[in-house]
Amino acid sequence: MIRYLCFYIALLAAPALAQDLTLPSGARQISDRISALDSYDLPIGVFADGSVPSRTVEGRVERLTWRLQAGSSTTLQILAPLQDQLQAQGFEITFECEARTCGGFDFRFGTEVVPTPDMYVAIHDYRFLSATRDDEVLTLLVSRNPPDGYVQMIRVTPVGTQSQPPLVIEETVDGASGLLNDLTRDGHVILDDLHFRTGEVALGEGSFASLALLAGYLADNPSTQMALVGHTDDTGALQANIEVSTKRAEAVRARLIEAHGVSADRIEAQGVGYLAPITSNASPEGRDINRRVEAVLLVN
């Protein structure tokens, strides 16, 4: 309980951004796009007459996404506790719909969505709501790609207005703990903050929190070894994809050795190309998700 209290105090001490919502344990924030002054077309109704009805709002715009372990949970089961928290914080729900009533494909592509791989939307399995609190507006978009769930929040606060502090209703743990929990429980974990475009093998200059966590885990468990396994989408021939996926894993291994001081004999790099997808490659969103690197524990 002390851990949760400390987390709550940290939120109150930080600038009031988008951490008003308490997500389930294991949820990891994937993206954080903040514009000091921008506009947003706030959906106010379902797709009709060729468009999604909206009104334009201006101010500080926050666009954030999370990935979480959905399991067998429905989009309603993911959204309902978040909606309860919003209402407890004084937001009024002004519009909500689910995929079929929203307008399916047309609503999805008629409203703003953070690009993949930071947000994934299944055309027939999503829910959306708009909410207001005084001059502040907020939208939530929830979808699934089992076993994962995805949450997008866009919030617009008038310039010069201080958002109310967050209200924590449920206990949670931060995304860092979630990644290590997944690793120790399942023996492998996707490194969500790494991303490669089709054919690319270079790892960017980002800090990549997942790599710091892996390095810390290896330091705390000196008898443990780890394999980094690269995966691709199904674009191109198998052998070429195996080579690309191996180079991606090798790039991650090199970063752990050079930037985090991990001993080279404790991590290996392998690639399996497109042979182990976690979703269909039939869509751009699916291909983005399949291009990944996983960490695998080697217990022996």
Side-chain angles (χ1 to χ4, degrees), residues 65-284:
T65 62
W66 293 264
R67 181 184 293 179
L68 53 89
Q69 299 170 3
S72 61
S73 298
T74 64
T75 52
L76 180 58
Q77 289 172 320
I78 297 171
L79 180 62
L82 304 180
Q83 180 172 333
D84 290 343
Q85 291 179 63
L86 289 178
Q87 292 175 313
Q89 295 178 55
F91 280 92
E92 177 187 357
I93 308 302
T94 56
F95 166 62
E96 58 183 310
C97 61
E98 58 88 22
R100 181 179 57 83
T101 58
C102 288
F105 176 95
D106 295 313
F107 184 91
R108 154 65 178 88
F109 286 96
T111 190
E112 182 175 339
V113 177
V114 172
T116 57
D118 296 336
M119 182 63 188
Y120 174 85
V121 181
I123 299 301
H124 301 295
D125 189 12
Y126 66 84
R127 290 180 182 267
F128 179 90
L129 68 77
S130 299
T132 62
R133 181 175 63 185
D134 299 325
D135 294 329
E136 183 180 6
V137 302
L138 180 149
T139 62
L140 287 178
L141 175 63
V142 174
S143 189
R144 297 188 314 143
N145 183 35
D148 295 322
Y150 292 82
V151 177
Q152 170 185 287
M153 184 176 89
I154 298 179
R155 182 167 71 171
V156 184
T157 306
V159 174
T161 301
Q162 178 66 37
S163 300
Q164 297 183 25
L167 172 63
V168 176
I169 298 176
E170 301 174 359
E171 292 184 344
T172 188
V173 295
D174 60 26
S177 297
L179 184 143
L180 295 183
N181 286 342
D182 292 353
L183 179 64
T184 54
R185 184 192 65 233
D186 301 331
H188 67 98
V189 67
I190 297 172
L191 306 181
D192 283 325
D193 55 348
L194 309 182
H195 176 60
F196 300 89
R197 297 183 183 276
T198 297
E200 290 188 357
V201 299
L203 186 61
E205 296 300 322
S207 56
F208 303 123
S210 64
L211 301 188
L213 289 169
L214 292 184
Y217 182 87
L218 289 169
D220 293 338
N221 298 272
S223 63
T224 299
Q225 293 184 310
M226 190 174 294
L228 299 166
V229 183
H231 300 262
T232 67
D233 59 34
D234 64 353
T235 303
L238 176 58
Q239 189 56 45
N241 275 285
I242 289 177
E243 292 175 3
V244 167
S245 60
T246 301
K247 289 180 180 179
R248 288 173 178 169
E250 289 173 344
V252 178
R253 178 177 181 269
R255 183 65 58 85
L256 282 168
I257 294 169
E258 296 166 4
H260 297 279
V262 176
S263 176
D265 61 1
R266 298 189 61 195
I267 44 176
E268 62 181 71
Q270 303 291 342
V272 296
Y274 54 63
L275 294 178
I278 54 177
T279 189
S280 170
N281 282 297
S283 68

Side-chain angles (χ1 to χ4, degrees), residues 8-23 29 31-37 59-66 86 89 91 133 136-140 153-158 161-167:
Y8 176 56
I9 292 172
L11 286 180
L12 291 177
L17 298 177
Q19 291 157 314
D20 303 63
L21 299 182
T22 301
L23 275 73
Q29 186 171 330
S31 66
D32 182 345
R33 297 170 169 84
I34 299 177
S35 300
L37 181 61
R60 175 188 173 89
V61 182
E62 304 162 55
R63 300 171 172 92
L64 299 100
T65 62
W66 293 264
L86 289 178
Q89 295 178 55
F91 280 92
R133 181 175 63 185
E136 183 180 6
V137 302
L138 180 149
T139 62
L140 287 178
M153 184 176 89
I154 298 179
R155 182 167 71 171
V156 184
T157 306
T161 301
Q162 178 66 37
S163 300
Q164 297 183 25
L167 172 63

